[in-house]
Amino acid sequence: MALGMAILLTSALPGDEVMTREGKTYVVNTTTLAADVEGYQSPTPLKIYITNGKIEKVEALRNNETPKYFAMIKKQLLDKWNGMTAKKAASAKVDAVTGATMSSKAVMENVKRGVQYYQKHKK
């Protein structure tokens, strides 16, 4: 029954569930795009805000990573892409946060997939 409800809810989503627009800003949500990318304990979905081809901010969404370590990622890693073009961000080499390497790598992969999706689907 739960599977049936999940299918029903998923099929009811209008339009593109990965990328939306808020004025001139594209918002890429990696929840489904990178559902297979896991950190230490869980997927690490993000919202990536892109305006005029540049990343404005990367925002962490709810996850089940260890709060103490994911707080380090929020503080030390998420703003590394701010101001980068999507093209540069897709291949940028960003250092992982010491002590939270697996989660850091998952966040990096989410950003990479998110900006690649943006590049392919922007209008």
Side-chain angles (χ1 to χ4, degrees):
M1 182 162 167
L3 178 60
M5 285 300 290
I7 292 170
L8 177 64
L9 290 173
T10 303
S11 64
L13 293 172
D16 188 346
E17 64 186 61
V18 175
M19 188 164 67
T20 57
R21 258 185 110 161
E22 296 176 4
K24 293 182 180 183
T25 302
Y26 286 90
V27 182
V28 180
N29 183 324
T30 67
T31 300
T32 58
L33 183 63
D36 62 318
V37 177
E38 293 201 9
Y40 182 69
Q41 296 182 2
S42 71
T44 56
L46 306 171
K47 276 190 177 178
I48 305 164
Y49 295 80
I50 305 169
T51 305
N52 297 324
K54 289 189 176 181
I55 296 178
E56 291 212 7
K57 70 177 178 175
V58 177
E59 178 180 280
L61 298 175
R62 185 175 174 179
N63 62 64
N64 292 320
E65 296 296 275
T66 307
K68 174 183 172 183
Y69 294 105
F70 208 75
M72 292 170 29
I73 287 173
K74 287 180 179 178
K75 184 177 179 181
Q76 298 175 36
L77 185 64
L78 294 184
D79 65 350
K80 298 290 183 185
W81 293 276
N82 293 357
M84 274 190 202
T85 63
K87 183 177 181 178
K88 182 176 179 181
S91 61
K93 302 291 183 205
V94 177
D95 291 333
V97 174
T98 302
T101 304
M102 292 176 71
S103 299
S104 295
K105 287 182 178 181
V107 165
M108 289 182 239
E109 181 63 22
N110 270 269
V111 171
K112 179 180 174 182
R113 288 191 191 185
V115 296
Q116 287 174 340
Y117 187 92
Y118 161 79
Q119 290 174 310
K120 288 180 184 175
H121 297 93
K122 68 182 177 192
K123 294 180 181 175

PDB file of all heavy atoms in Angstrom, residues 19 26 28 48-56 58 81-92 108 110-122:
ATOM      1  N   MET A  19      14.297  20.840 -11.326  1.00  0.00           N
ATOM      2  CA  MET A  19      14.676  22.236 -11.496  1.00  0.00           C
ATOM      3  C   MET A  19      13.440  23.118 -11.666  1.00  0.00           C
ATOM      4  O   MET A  19      12.567  22.831 -12.468  1.00  0.00           O
ATOM      5  CB  MET A  19      15.602  22.397 -12.713  1.00  0.00           C
ATOM      6  CG  MET A  19      16.184  23.793 -12.838  1.00  0.00           C
ATOM      7  SD  MET A  19      17.601  23.897 -13.970  1.00  0.00           S
ATOM      8  CE  MET A  19      16.836  23.565 -15.544  1.00  0.00           C
ATOM      9  N   TYR A  26      17.415  29.873 -11.220  1.00  0.00           N
ATOM     10  CA  TYR A  26      17.072  28.466 -11.340  1.00  0.00           C
ATOM     11  C   TYR A  26      17.410  27.805 -10.007  1.00  0.00           C
ATOM     12  O   TYR A  26      18.458  28.093  -9.417  1.00  0.00           O
ATOM     13  CB  TYR A  26      17.897  27.785 -12.434  1.00  0.00           C
ATOM     14  CG  TYR A  26      17.477  28.153 -13.833  1.00  0.00           C
ATOM     15  CD1 TYR A  26      18.035  29.242 -14.486  1.00  0.00           C
ATOM     16  CD2 TYR A  26      16.522  27.392 -14.511  1.00  0.00           C
ATOM     17  CE1 TYR A  26      17.663  29.572 -15.780  1.00  0.00           C
ATOM     18  CE2 TYR A  26      16.144  27.725 -15.806  1.00  0.00           C
ATOM     19  CZ  TYR A  26      16.714  28.809 -16.430  1.00  0.00           C
ATOM     20  OH  TYR A  26      16.343  29.134 -17.705  1.00  0.00           O
ATOM     21  N   VAL A  28      17.935  24.074  -8.462  1.00  0.00           N
ATOM     22  CA  VAL A  28      18.084  22.647  -8.743  1.00  0.00           C
ATOM     23  C   VAL A  28      18.018  21.901  -7.418  1.00  0.00           C
ATOM     24  O   VAL A  28      18.793  22.184  -6.500  1.00  0.00           O
ATOM     25  CB  VAL A  28      19.419  22.338  -9.458  1.00  0.00           C
ATOM     26  CG1 VAL A  28      19.547  20.847  -9.744  1.00  0.00           C
ATOM     27  CG2 VAL A  28      19.536  23.151 -10.738  1.00  0.00           C
ATOM     28  N   ILE A  48      20.482  23.987  -5.198  1.00  0.00           N
ATOM     29  CA  ILE A  48      21.530  24.828  -5.766  1.00  0.00           C
ATOM     30  C   ILE A  48      20.837  25.978  -6.484  1.00  0.00           C
ATOM     31  O   ILE A  48      20.027  25.752  -7.388  1.00  0.00           O
ATOM     32  CB  ILE A  48      22.401  24.024  -6.741  1.00  0.00           C
ATOM     33  CG1 ILE A  48      22.971  22.783  -6.042  1.00  0.00           C
ATOM     34  CG2 ILE A  48      23.518  24.901  -7.313  1.00  0.00           C
ATOM     35  CD1 ILE A  48      23.524  21.746  -6.986  1.00  0.00           C
ATOM     36  N   TYR A  49      21.147  27.192  -6.083  1.00  0.00           N
ATOM     37  CA  TYR A  49      20.533  28.395  -6.648  1.00  0.00           C
ATOM     38  C   TYR A  49      21.496  28.994  -7.673  1.00  0.00           C
ATOM     39  O   TYR A  49      22.631  29.344  -7.317  1.00  0.00           O
ATOM     40  CB  TYR A  49      20.230  29.408  -5.550  1.00  0.00           C
ATOM     41  CG  TYR A  49      19.185  28.926  -4.570  1.00  0.00           C
ATOM     42  CD1 TYR A  49      19.506  28.042  -3.548  1.00  0.00           C
ATOM     43  CD2 TYR A  49      17.872  29.354  -4.679  1.00  0.00           C
ATOM     44  CE1 TYR A  49      18.539  27.593  -2.658  1.00  0.00           C
ATOM     45  CE2 TYR A  49      16.891  28.915  -3.787  1.00  0.00           C
ATOM     46  CZ  TYR A  49      17.236  28.032  -2.783  1.00  0.00           C
ATOM     47  OH  TYR A  49      16.277  27.597  -1.914  1.00  0.00           O
ATOM     48  N   ILE A  50      21.038  29.120  -8.929  1.00  0.00           N
ATOM     49  CA  ILE A  50      21.888  29.598 -10.017  1.00  0.00           C
ATOM     50  C   ILE A  50      21.204  30.770 -10.722  1.00  0.00           C
ATOM     51  O   ILE A  50      20.087  30.635 -11.215  1.00  0.00           O
ATOM     52  CB  ILE A  50      22.172  28.474 -11.032  1.00  0.00           C
ATOM     53  CG1 ILE A  50      22.770  27.254 -10.311  1.00  0.00           C
ATOM     54  CG2 ILE A  50      23.096  28.972 -12.144  1.00  0.00           C
ATOM     55  CD1 ILE A  50      22.847  26.007 -11.160  1.00  0.00           C
ATOM     56  N   THR A  51      21.888  31.901 -10.765  1.00  0.00           N
ATOM     57  CA  THR A  51      21.371  33.101 -11.422  1.00  0.00           C
ATOM     58  C   THR A  51      22.390  33.570 -12.454  1.00  0.00           C
ATOM     59  O   THR A  51      23.575  33.711 -12.132  1.00  0.00           O
ATOM     60  CB  THR A  51      21.113  34.227 -10.396  1.00  0.00           C
ATOM     61  OG1 THR A  51      20.247  33.730  -9.371  1.00  0.00           O
ATOM     62  CG2 THR A  51      20.469  35.431 -11.060  1.00  0.00           C
ATOM     63  N   ASN A  52      21.918  33.791 -13.666  1.00  0.00           N
ATOM     64  CA  ASN A  52      22.788  34.243 -14.762  1.00  0.00           C
ATOM     65  C   ASN A  52      24.014  33.350 -14.920  1.00  0.00           C
ATOM     66  O   ASN A  52      25.126  33.833 -15.145  1.00  0.00           O
ATOM     67  CB  ASN A  52      23.212  35.697 -14.561  1.00  0.00           C
ATOM     68  CG  ASN A  52      22.038  36.645 -14.579  1.00  0.00           C
ATOM     69  OD1 ASN A  52      21.080  36.457 -15.319  1.00  0.00           O
ATOM     70  ND2 ASN A  52      22.087  37.668 -13.741  1.00  0.00           N
ATOM     71  N   GLY A  53      23.818  32.048 -14.751  1.00  0.00           N
ATOM     72  CA  GLY A  53      24.900  31.091 -14.956  1.00  0.00           C
ATOM     73  C   GLY A  53      25.870  30.944 -13.807  1.00  0.00           C
ATOM     74  O   GLY A  53      26.814  30.172 -13.888  1.00  0.00           O
ATOM     75  N   LYS A  54      25.641  31.694 -12.708  1.00  0.00           N
ATOM     76  CA  LYS A  54      26.541  31.616 -11.548  1.00  0.00           C
ATOM     77  C   LYS A  54      25.796  31.091 -10.325  1.00  0.00           C
ATOM     78  O   LYS A  54      24.635  31.433 -10.098  1.00  0.00           O
ATOM     79  CB  LYS A  54      27.123  32.990 -11.218  1.00  0.00           C
ATOM     80  CG  LYS A  54      28.129  33.463 -12.232  1.00  0.00           C
ATOM     81  CD  LYS A  54      28.822  34.711 -11.752  1.00  0.00           C
ATOM     82  CE  LYS A  54      29.892  35.116 -12.738  1.00  0.00           C
ATOM     83  NZ  LYS A  54      30.595  36.310 -12.299  1.00  0.00           N
ATOM     84  N   ILE A  55      26.494  30.322  -9.531  1.00  0.00           N
ATOM     85  CA  ILE A  55      25.900  29.778  -8.308  1.00  0.00           C
ATOM     86  C   ILE A  55      25.822  30.877  -7.263  1.00  0.00           C
ATOM     87  O   ILE A  55      26.821  31.528  -6.949  1.00  0.00           O
ATOM     88  CB  ILE A  55      26.709  28.579  -7.779  1.00  0.00           C
ATOM     89  CG1 ILE A  55      26.641  27.457  -8.811  1.00  0.00           C
ATOM     90  CG2 ILE A  55      26.199  28.135  -6.418  1.00  0.00           C
ATOM     91  CD1 ILE A  55      27.431  26.234  -8.457  1.00  0.00           C
ATOM     92  N   GLU A  56      24.618  31.087  -6.754  1.00  0.00           N
ATOM     93  CA  GLU A  56      24.414  32.065  -5.681  1.00  0.00           C
ATOM     94  C   GLU A  56      24.629  31.416  -4.329  1.00  0.00           C
ATOM     95  O   GLU A  56      25.270  31.998  -3.459  1.00  0.00           O
ATOM     96  CB  GLU A  56      23.009  32.638  -5.759  1.00  0.00           C
ATOM     97  CG  GLU A  56      22.823  33.512  -6.953  1.00  0.00           C
ATOM     98  CD  GLU A  56      21.856  34.634  -6.684  1.00  0.00           C
ATOM     99  OE1 GLU A  56      21.418  34.830  -5.540  1.00  0.00           O
ATOM    100  OE2 GLU A  56      21.550  35.323  -7.649  1.00  0.00           O
ATOM    101  N   VAL A  58      24.429  27.236  -2.182  1.00  0.00           N
ATOM    102  CA  VAL A  58      24.120  25.816  -2.096  1.00  0.00           C
ATOM    103  C   VAL A  58      23.545  25.599  -0.707  1.00  0.00           C
ATOM    104  O   VAL A  58      24.161  25.990   0.292  1.00  0.00           O
ATOM    105  CB  VAL A  58      25.380  24.945  -2.306  1.00  0.00           C
ATOM    106  CG1 VAL A  58      25.049  23.481  -2.143  1.00  0.00           C
ATOM    107  CG2 VAL A  58      26.001  25.222  -3.673  1.00  0.00           C
ATOM    108  N   TRP A  81      31.223  27.032  -3.602  1.00  0.00           N
ATOM    109  CA  TRP A  81      30.789  27.180  -4.994  1.00  0.00           C
ATOM    110  C   TRP A  81      30.160  28.547  -5.271  1.00  0.00           C
ATOM    111  O   TRP A  81      29.924  28.882  -6.419  1.00  0.00           O
ATOM    112  CB  TRP A  81      29.805  26.073  -5.361  1.00  0.00           C
ATOM    113  CG  TRP A  81      30.437  24.712  -5.384  1.00  0.00           C
ATOM    114  CD1 TRP A  81      31.128  24.156  -6.410  1.00  0.00           C
ATOM    115  CD2 TRP A  81      30.443  23.746  -4.334  1.00  0.00           C
ATOM    116  NE1 TRP A  81      31.571  22.899  -6.056  1.00  0.00           N
ATOM    117  CE2 TRP A  81      31.157  22.616  -4.798  1.00  0.00           C
ATOM    118  CE3 TRP A  81      29.912  23.697  -3.043  1.00  0.00           C
ATOM    119  CZ2 TRP A  81      31.352  21.475  -4.032  1.00  0.00           C
ATOM    120  CZ3 TRP A  81      30.103  22.570  -2.280  1.00  0.00           C
ATOM    121  CH2 TRP A  81      30.828  21.474  -2.767  1.00  0.00           C
ATOM    122  N   ASN A  82      29.905  29.320  -4.221  1.00  0.00           N
ATOM    123  CA  ASN A  82      29.262  30.628  -4.411  1.00  0.00           C
ATOM    124  C   ASN A  82      30.075  31.498  -5.368  1.00  0.00           C
ATOM    125  O   ASN A  82      31.275  31.663  -5.195  1.00  0.00           O
ATOM    126  CB  ASN A  82      29.082  31.355  -3.082  1.00  0.00           C
ATOM    127  CG  ASN A  82      28.099  30.660  -2.166  1.00  0.00           C
ATOM    128  OD1 ASN A  82      27.481  29.658  -2.518  1.00  0.00           O
ATOM    129  ND2 ASN A  82      27.944  31.188  -0.966  1.00  0.00           N
ATOM    130  N   GLY A  83      29.401  32.036  -6.376  1.00  0.00           N
ATOM    131  CA  GLY A  83      30.050  32.903  -7.342  1.00  0.00           C
ATOM    132  C   GLY A  83      30.679  32.185  -8.526  1.00  0.00           C
ATOM    133  O   GLY A  83      31.052  32.814  -9.505  1.00  0.00           O
ATOM    134  N   MET A  84      30.809  30.869  -8.453  1.00  0.00           N
ATOM    135  CA  MET A  84      31.376  30.101  -9.566  1.00  0.00           C
ATOM    136  C   MET A  84      30.349  29.990 -10.684  1.00  0.00           C
ATOM    137  O   MET A  84      29.152  29.902 -10.436  1.00  0.00           O
ATOM    138  CB  MET A  84      31.712  28.663  -9.133  1.00  0.00           C
ATOM    139  CG  MET A  84      33.024  28.477  -8.515  1.00  0.00           C
ATOM    140  SD  MET A  84      33.328  26.668  -8.354  1.00  0.00           S
ATOM    141  CE  MET A  84      34.542  26.713  -7.059  1.00  0.00           C
ATOM    142  N   THR A  85      30.844  29.940 -11.913  1.00  0.00           N
ATOM    143  CA  THR A  85      29.941  29.639 -13.012  1.00  0.00           C
ATOM    144  C   THR A  85      29.553  28.169 -12.907  1.00  0.00           C
ATOM    145  O   THR A  85      30.293  27.356 -12.317  1.00  0.00           O
ATOM    146  CB  THR A  85      30.609  29.873 -14.380  1.00  0.00           C
ATOM    147  OG1 THR A  85      31.706  28.969 -14.518  1.00  0.00           O
ATOM    148  CG2 THR A  85      31.066  31.315 -14.536  1.00  0.00           C
ATOM    149  N   ALA A  86      28.425  27.822 -13.487  1.00  0.00           N
ATOM    150  CA  ALA A  86      27.988  26.424 -13.477  1.00  0.00           C
ATOM    151  C   ALA A  86      29.026  25.544 -14.170  1.00  0.00           C
ATOM    152  O   ALA A  86      29.321  24.438 -13.711  1.00  0.00           O
ATOM    153  CB  ALA A  86      26.626  26.294 -14.144  1.00  0.00           C
ATOM    154  N   LYS A  87      29.593  26.048 -15.247  1.00  0.00           N
ATOM    155  CA  LYS A  87      30.596  25.280 -15.987  1.00  0.00           C
ATOM    156  C   LYS A  87      31.800  24.961 -15.104  1.00  0.00           C
ATOM    157  O   LYS A  87      32.270  23.830 -15.053  1.00  0.00           O
ATOM    158  CB  LYS A  87      31.039  26.055 -17.226  1.00  0.00           C
ATOM    159  CG  LYS A  87      32.028  25.314 -18.088  1.00  0.00           C
ATOM    160  CD  LYS A  87      32.370  26.102 -19.332  1.00  0.00           C
ATOM    161  CE  LYS A  87      33.356  25.331 -20.190  1.00  0.00           C
ATOM    162  NZ  LYS A  87      33.671  26.028 -21.424  1.00  0.00           N
ATOM    163  N   LYS A  88      32.291  25.961 -14.386  1.00  0.00           N
ATOM    164  CA  LYS A  88      33.443  25.751 -13.510  1.00  0.00           C
ATOM    165  C   LYS A  88      33.076  24.829 -12.341  1.00  0.00           C
ATOM    166  O   LYS A  88      33.850  23.946 -11.960  1.00  0.00           O
ATOM    167  CB  LYS A  88      33.970  27.085 -12.983  1.00  0.00           C
ATOM    168  CG  LYS A  88      35.200  26.930 -12.114  1.00  0.00           C
ATOM    169  CD  LYS A  88      35.780  28.254 -11.680  1.00  0.00           C
ATOM    170  CE  LYS A  88      36.996  28.023 -10.800  1.00  0.00           C
ATOM    171  NZ  LYS A  88      37.572  29.269 -10.333  1.00  0.00           N
ATOM    172  N   ALA A  89      31.893  25.028 -11.775  1.00  0.00           N
ATOM    173  CA  ALA A  89      31.462  24.226 -10.626  1.00  0.00           C
ATOM    174  C   ALA A  89      31.312  22.747 -10.972  1.00  0.00           C
ATOM    175  O   ALA A  89      31.533  21.886 -10.119  1.00  0.00           O
ATOM    176  CB  ALA A  89      30.139  24.764 -10.078  1.00  0.00           C
ATOM    177  N   ALA A  90      30.975  22.454 -12.223  1.00  0.00           N
ATOM    178  CA  ALA A  90      30.802  21.061 -12.640  1.00  0.00           C
ATOM    179  C   ALA A  90      32.093  20.265 -12.547  1.00  0.00           C
ATOM    180  O   ALA A  90      32.072  19.047 -12.395  1.00  0.00           O
ATOM    181  CB  ALA A  90      30.242  21.008 -14.056  1.00  0.00           C
ATOM    182  N   SER A  91      33.230  20.951 -12.610  1.00  0.00           N
ATOM    183  CA  SER A  91      34.509  20.241 -12.562  1.00  0.00           C
ATOM    184  C   SER A  91      35.445  20.767 -11.475  1.00  0.00           C
ATOM    185  O   SER A  91      36.614  20.400 -11.433  1.00  0.00           O
ATOM    186  CB  SER A  91      35.207  20.335 -13.921  1.00  0.00           C
ATOM    187  OG  SER A  91      35.460  21.689 -14.249  1.00  0.00           O
ATOM    188  N   ALA A  92      34.946  21.619 -10.607  1.00  0.00           N
ATOM    189  CA  ALA A  92      35.782  22.219  -9.560  1.00  0.00           C
ATOM    190  C   ALA A  92      36.295  21.165  -8.580  1.00  0.00           C
ATOM    191  O   ALA A  92      35.579  20.239  -8.213  1.00  0.00           O
ATOM    192  CB  ALA A  92      34.987  23.284  -8.804  1.00  0.00           C
ATOM    193  N   MET A 108      29.761  17.031  -2.786  1.00  0.00           N
ATOM    194  CA  MET A 108      30.442  17.416  -4.022  1.00  0.00           C
ATOM    195  C   MET A 108      29.797  16.762  -5.238  1.00  0.00           C
ATOM    196  O   MET A 108      29.622  17.408  -6.279  1.00  0.00           O
ATOM    197  CB  MET A 108      31.922  17.050  -3.939  1.00  0.00           C
ATOM    198  CG  MET A 108      32.706  17.918  -2.978  1.00  0.00           C
ATOM    199  SD  MET A 108      34.454  17.440  -2.992  1.00  0.00           S
ATOM    200  CE  MET A 108      34.685  16.999  -1.292  1.00  0.00           C
ATOM    201  N   ASN A 110      26.686  15.737  -5.453  1.00  0.00           N
ATOM    202  CA  ASN A 110      25.373  16.377  -5.619  1.00  0.00           C
ATOM    203  C   ASN A 110      25.511  17.694  -6.376  1.00  0.00           C
ATOM    204  O   ASN A 110      24.722  17.977  -7.278  1.00  0.00           O
ATOM    205  CB  ASN A 110      24.724  16.635  -4.252  1.00  0.00           C
ATOM    206  CG  ASN A 110      23.874  15.497  -3.775  1.00  0.00           C
ATOM    207  OD1 ASN A 110      22.684  15.457  -4.048  1.00  0.00           O
ATOM    208  ND2 ASN A 110      24.483  14.557  -3.069  1.00  0.00           N
ATOM    209  N   VAL A 111      26.496  18.495  -6.024  1.00  0.00           N
ATOM    210  CA  VAL A 111      26.713  19.771  -6.723  1.00  0.00           C
ATOM    211  C   VAL A 111      27.039  19.503  -8.189  1.00  0.00           C
ATOM    212  O   VAL A 111      26.469  20.128  -9.094  1.00  0.00           O
ATOM    213  CB  VAL A 111      27.821  20.613  -6.048  1.00  0.00           C
ATOM    214  CG1 VAL A 111      28.187  21.811  -6.917  1.00  0.00           C
ATOM    215  CG2 VAL A 111      27.376  21.072  -4.670  1.00  0.00           C
ATOM    216  N   LYS A 112      27.932  18.570  -8.432  1.00  0.00           N
ATOM    217  CA  LYS A 112      28.329  18.246  -9.806  1.00  0.00           C
ATOM    218  C   LYS A 112      27.109  17.832 -10.633  1.00  0.00           C
ATOM    219  O   LYS A 112      26.887  18.349 -11.725  1.00  0.00           O
ATOM    220  CB  LYS A 112      29.371  17.120  -9.788  1.00  0.00           C
ATOM    221  CG  LYS A 112      29.831  16.684 -11.154  1.00  0.00           C
ATOM    222  CD  LYS A 112      30.848  15.564 -11.029  1.00  0.00           C
ATOM    223  CE  LYS A 112      31.219  14.992 -12.378  1.00  0.00           C
ATOM    224  NZ  LYS A 112      32.154  13.877 -12.248  1.00  0.00           N
ATOM    225  N   ARG A 113      26.316  16.914 -10.104  1.00  0.00           N
ATOM    226  CA  ARG A 113      25.136  16.456 -10.844  1.00  0.00           C
ATOM    227  C   ARG A 113      24.125  17.583 -11.023  1.00  0.00           C
ATOM    228  O   ARG A 113      23.500  17.702 -12.067  1.00  0.00           O
ATOM    229  CB  ARG A 113      24.482  15.280 -10.138  1.00  0.00           C
ATOM    230  CG  ARG A 113      25.276  14.008 -10.251  1.00  0.00           C
ATOM    231  CD  ARG A 113      24.466  12.840  -9.774  1.00  0.00           C
ATOM    232  NE  ARG A 113      25.275  11.651  -9.623  1.00  0.00           N
ATOM    233  CZ  ARG A 113      24.782  10.464  -9.316  1.00  0.00           C
ATOM    234  NH1 ARG A 113      23.485  10.322  -9.109  1.00  0.00           N
ATOM    235  NH2 ARG A 113      25.569   9.420  -9.198  1.00  0.00           N
ATOM    236  N   GLY A 114      23.962  18.398  -9.989  1.00  0.00           N
ATOM    237  CA  GLY A 114      23.009  19.497 -10.062  1.00  0.00           C
ATOM    238  C   GLY A 114      23.362  20.517 -11.121  1.00  0.00           C
ATOM    239  O   GLY A 114      22.508  20.939 -11.904  1.00  0.00           O
ATOM    240  N   VAL A 115      24.626  20.917 -11.183  1.00  0.00           N
ATOM    241  CA  VAL A 115      25.016  21.918 -12.183  1.00  0.00           C
ATOM    242  C   VAL A 115      25.037  21.320 -13.581  1.00  0.00           C
ATOM    243  O   VAL A 115      24.710  22.012 -14.552  1.00  0.00           O
ATOM    244  CB  VAL A 115      26.342  22.640 -11.846  1.00  0.00           C
ATOM    245  CG1 VAL A 115      26.198  23.448 -10.567  1.00  0.00           C
ATOM    246  CG2 VAL A 115      27.502  21.696 -11.748  1.00  0.00           C
ATOM    247  N   GLN A 116      25.363  20.044 -13.703  1.00  0.00           N
ATOM    248  CA  GLN A 116      25.289  19.398 -15.011  1.00  0.00           C
ATOM    249  C   GLN A 116      23.840  19.345 -15.502  1.00  0.00           C
ATOM    250  O   GLN A 116      23.572  19.579 -16.677  1.00  0.00           O
ATOM    251  CB  GLN A 116      25.892  17.995 -14.970  1.00  0.00           C
ATOM    252  CG  GLN A 116      27.406  18.006 -14.867  1.00  0.00           C
ATOM    253  CD  GLN A 116      28.016  16.631 -14.681  1.00  0.00           C
ATOM    254  OE1 GLN A 116      27.354  15.681 -14.257  1.00  0.00           O
ATOM    255  NE2 GLN A 116      29.298  16.512 -14.975  1.00  0.00           N
ATOM    256  N   TYR A 117      22.920  19.066 -14.595  1.00  0.00           N
ATOM    257  CA  TYR A 117      21.497  19.057 -14.951  1.00  0.00           C
ATOM    258  C   TYR A 117      21.068  20.453 -15.402  1.00  0.00           C
ATOM    259  O   TYR A 117      20.397  20.611 -16.415  1.00  0.00           O
ATOM    260  CB  TYR A 117      20.650  18.597 -13.754  1.00  0.00           C
ATOM    261  CG  TYR A 117      19.204  18.412 -14.102  1.00  0.00           C
ATOM    262  CD1 TYR A 117      18.728  17.171 -14.523  1.00  0.00           C
ATOM    263  CD2 TYR A 117      18.299  19.466 -14.024  1.00  0.00           C
ATOM    264  CE1 TYR A 117      17.399  17.002 -14.864  1.00  0.00           C
ATOM    265  CE2 TYR A 117      16.975  19.307 -14.364  1.00  0.00           C
ATOM    266  CZ  TYR A 117      16.526  18.068 -14.781  1.00  0.00           C
ATOM    267  OH  TYR A 117      15.211  17.895 -15.127  1.00  0.00           O
ATOM    268  N   TYR A 118      21.476  21.442 -14.666  1.00  0.00           N
ATOM    269  CA  TYR A 118      21.159  22.828 -15.024  1.00  0.00           C
ATOM    270  C   TYR A 118      21.671  23.146 -16.430  1.00  0.00           C
ATOM    271  O   TYR A 118      20.950  23.716 -17.254  1.00  0.00           O
ATOM    272  CB  TYR A 118      21.782  23.788 -14.005  1.00  0.00           C
ATOM    273  CG  TYR A 118      21.922  25.206 -14.494  1.00  0.00           C
ATOM    274  CD1 TYR A 118      20.826  26.067 -14.509  1.00  0.00           C
ATOM    275  CD2 TYR A 118      23.137  25.678 -14.969  1.00  0.00           C
ATOM    276  CE1 TYR A 118      20.953  27.377 -14.979  1.00  0.00           C
ATOM    277  CE2 TYR A 118      23.268  26.980 -15.436  1.00  0.00           C
ATOM    278  CZ  TYR A 118      22.175  27.815 -15.445  1.00  0.00           C
ATOM    279  OH  TYR A 118      22.293  29.096 -15.916  1.00  0.00           O
ATOM    280  N   GLN A 119      22.913  22.793 -16.702  1.00  0.00           N
ATOM    281  CA  GLN A 119      23.502  23.093 -18.007  1.00  0.00           C
ATOM    282  C   GLN A 119      22.738  22.439 -19.149  1.00  0.00           C
ATOM    283  O   GLN A 119      22.581  23.027 -20.213  1.00  0.00           O
ATOM    284  CB  GLN A 119      24.965  22.641 -18.043  1.00  0.00           C
ATOM    285  CG  GLN A 119      25.868  23.482 -17.167  1.00  0.00           C
ATOM    286  CD  GLN A 119      27.277  22.956 -17.084  1.00  0.00           C
ATOM    287  OE1 GLN A 119      27.506  21.788 -16.823  1.00  0.00           O
ATOM    288  NE2 GLN A 119      28.240  23.818 -17.343  1.00  0.00           N
ATOM    289  N   LYS A 120      22.230  21.249 -18.940  1.00  0.00           N
ATOM    290  CA  LYS A 120      21.507  20.530 -19.989  1.00  0.00           C
ATOM    291  C   LYS A 120      20.073  21.013 -20.162  1.00  0.00           C
ATOM    292  O   LYS A 120      19.509  20.891 -21.242  1.00  0.00           O
ATOM    293  CB  LYS A 120      21.497  19.026 -19.688  1.00  0.00           C
ATOM    294  CG  LYS A 120      22.831  18.366 -19.874  1.00  0.00           C
ATOM    295  CD  LYS A 120      22.735  16.884 -19.568  1.00  0.00           C
ATOM    296  CE  LYS A 120      24.102  16.232 -19.655  1.00  0.00           C
ATOM    297  NZ  LYS A 120      24.064  14.812 -19.247  1.00  0.00           N
ATOM    298  N   HIS A 121      19.441  21.505 -19.079  1.00  0.00           N
ATOM    299  CA  HIS A 121      18.010  21.788 -19.111  1.00  0.00           C
ATOM    300  C   HIS A 121      17.609  23.246 -18.990  1.00  0.00           C
ATOM    301  O   HIS A 121      16.414  23.561 -19.035  1.00  0.00           O
ATOM    302  CB  HIS A 121      17.316  20.968 -18.023  1.00  0.00           C
ATOM    303  CG  HIS A 121      17.433  19.499 -18.236  1.00  0.00           C
ATOM    304  ND1 HIS A 121      18.449  18.767 -17.667  1.00  0.00           N
ATOM    305  CD2 HIS A 121      16.693  18.641 -18.960  1.00  0.00           C
ATOM    306  CE1 HIS A 121      18.316  17.496 -18.032  1.00  0.00           C
ATOM    307  NE2 HIS A 121      17.268  17.399 -18.817  1.00  0.00           N
ATOM    308  N   LYS A 122      18.549  24.158 -18.817  1.00  0.00           N
ATOM    309  CA  LYS A 122      18.188  25.569 -18.696  1.00  0.00           C
ATOM    310  C   LYS A 122      17.565  26.061 -20.007  1.00  0.00           C
ATOM    311  O   LYS A 122      17.882  25.540 -21.078  1.00  0.00           O
ATOM    312  CB  LYS A 122      19.384  26.427 -18.310  1.00  0.00           C
ATOM    313  CG  LYS A 122      20.434  26.509 -19.394  1.00  0.00           C
ATOM    314  CD  LYS A 122      21.618  27.307 -18.966  1.00  0.00           C
ATOM    315  CE  LYS A 122      22.638  27.251 -20.104  1.00  0.00           C
ATOM    316  NZ  LYS A 122      23.902  27.731 -19.743  1.00  0.00           N
TER     317      LYS A 122
END
